[in-house]
Amino acid sequence: LLVATEFFAGFGAEAFDRLTEAHILRDVGVPASIDPVILFGVVTAVTLLFGFAAVGPAIRRVDAGGTVSVARMVVFFTAATIAAQLVFALAGSFGVVIAAFVAALLARRLLAPLYNAWLNRQITDSSVRATVLSISGQANAVGQATGGPILGTVGNAFGIPAALAGGALFLLPALGLYTRALRHGGREPELEALPAAAETY
C-alpha cells in the first residue's frame, strides 16, 4: 500500500508541478490588466499563509481523532486535489482556472502533512521508521520520474490540458487505496492478520 500510494501520488503530481504556469499563460490566457509575475506571486503567498494557519490545527485535530480521523482527512483532501486539478485542466474561464489552481495548491499543502501523520501511525516499530519513510520518498520519486516523460508525451501529442487531466486521474488509484484503509479503521487489515496467519502454518 505504501509503495503503491506514493508511486501514484508522485506520478499524478508531476504534470501539475511542471505545467501549471504554462497552462495558464498559453491555454487560458492572463488578462492584460494583470501582471503574470504578480499573479503567481499572490497565489504563492496565499498558499503559504494558508499553510501556516491551517496545517497546525489540522494536525491537532488528527491527534485528537486518532487513526480513523487522519485516514478520513487524507481521503477527503486527496479527492479534493483530484477534483481541483481536473477543473484547473479543463475549465476555460480565467477566474475558474485560478480558483481551481488555488484550491488544488491548498489541498496539496494540507495533504502532505496529513499523509505523513497517517504514515507514522502505521509504524508501530520505531526501529524501522527511517526505512519506511525512505521507501515512501523513493516510491514518490520513482512515480515522478515515470510520470514526467509519459505525461510530457501526452502533453506534446494532445496538449497541456490533457497532460494535466491525466495527472489528476492518476491519483485515483491512490484515493482507492486510502479508502480501502479507511474501511478497516484507517489501517491495513493484513498487518493485523499476519501473526495469526503465521501461527496456522
Side-chain angles (χ1 to χ4, degrees):
L1 177 69
L2 167 67
V3 173
T5 54
E6 277 298 274
F7 174 82
F8 287 118
F11 193 114
E14 189 67 5
F16 191 82
D17 289 340
R18 308 299 177 202
L19 299 174
T20 49
E21 291 85 357
H23 176 56
I24 293 171
L25 294 173
R26 294 176 54 182
D27 300 322
V28 179
V30 179
S33 59
I34 300 176
D35 186 333
V37 175
I38 295 177
L39 171 67
F40 293 123
V42 169
V43 169
T44 301
V46 168
T47 55
L48 286 174
L49 291 173
F50 175 85
F52 287 128
V55 170
I59 295 300
R60 287 194 293 271
R61 180 176 178 180
V62 162
D63 289 338
T67 302
V68 174
S69 176
V70 66
R72 187 178 295 116
M73 294 182 73
V74 167
V75 168
F76 174 80
F77 283 107
T78 301
T81 298
I82 294 171
Q85 289 187 11
L86 283 174
V87 173
F88 174 78
L90 302 176
S93 167
F94 173 77
V96 174
V97 167
I98 294 301
F101 184 35
V102 172
L105 290 174
L106 297 183
R108 283 156 54 98
R109 184 165 290 276
L110 273 176
L111 181 58
L114 288 170
Y115 171 80
N116 289 332
W118 176 77
L119 174 59
N120 276 281
R121 286 179 177 271
Q122 311 303 308
I123 308 172
T124 57
D125 184 354
S126 60
S127 66
V128 300
R129 187 178 304 275
T131 301
V132 174
L133 295 176
S134 175
I135 292 172
S136 173
Q138 290 177 35
N140 189 286
V142 170
Q144 292 183 36
T146 306
I150 294 176
L151 294 174
T153 301
V154 171
N156 285 333
F158 303 103
I160 293 176
L164 290 167
L169 293 176
F170 250 94
L171 292 173
L172 287 172
L175 177 62
L177 292 169
Y178 292 141
T179 304
R180 178 175 179 268
L182 180 60
R183 290 199 301 267
H184 299 285
R187 295 183 178 275
E188 279 298 286
E190 292 85 354
L191 298 179
E192 299 172 358
L194 278 176
E199 291 173 3
T200 61
Y201 291 98

